[in-house]
Amino acid sequence: MFDAQTTALLRSVLDEVCEAVSRYETSARTHVASMILEAASKGETSADRLKQVGRSALSGASILRN
């Protein structure tokens, strides 16, 4: 689906956005990853924009957990 360069970018964005999220918070990390992947599948390739999408998703995941 994505080339190696895009896959590396997506992984990097996910790691950066979720750096303060425990690896055991799989629900939050999965939600963030899903939103980043959705944006990328629609053609978004800007690291800054993908980070915004990820941060927004993380905020939403935090609200869902409370």
Side-chain angles (χ1 to χ4, degrees):
M1 180 176 210
F2 299 111
D3 62 24
Q5 184 177 5
T6 303
T7 300
L9 171 66
L10 297 175
R11 182 176 303 278
S12 174
V13 167
L14 178 63
D15 288 344
E16 183 175 331
V17 170
C18 292
E19 68 184 349
V21 178
S22 168
R23 294 273 180 200
Y24 300 105
E25 287 282 344
T26 56
S27 175
R29 293 180 67 83
T30 300
H31 179 68
V32 172
S34 176
M35 295 297 102
I36 292 171
L37 283 171
E38 182 178 328
S41 71
K42 292 178 180 176
E44 186 58 68
T45 58
S46 162
D48 289 336
R49 180 65 189 121
L50 291 170
K51 288 175 192 175
Q52 288 176 346
V53 168
R55 289 183 187 116
S56 177
L58 185 57
S59 293
S62 296
I63 292 168
L64 293 173
R65 286 194 317 245
N66 292 331

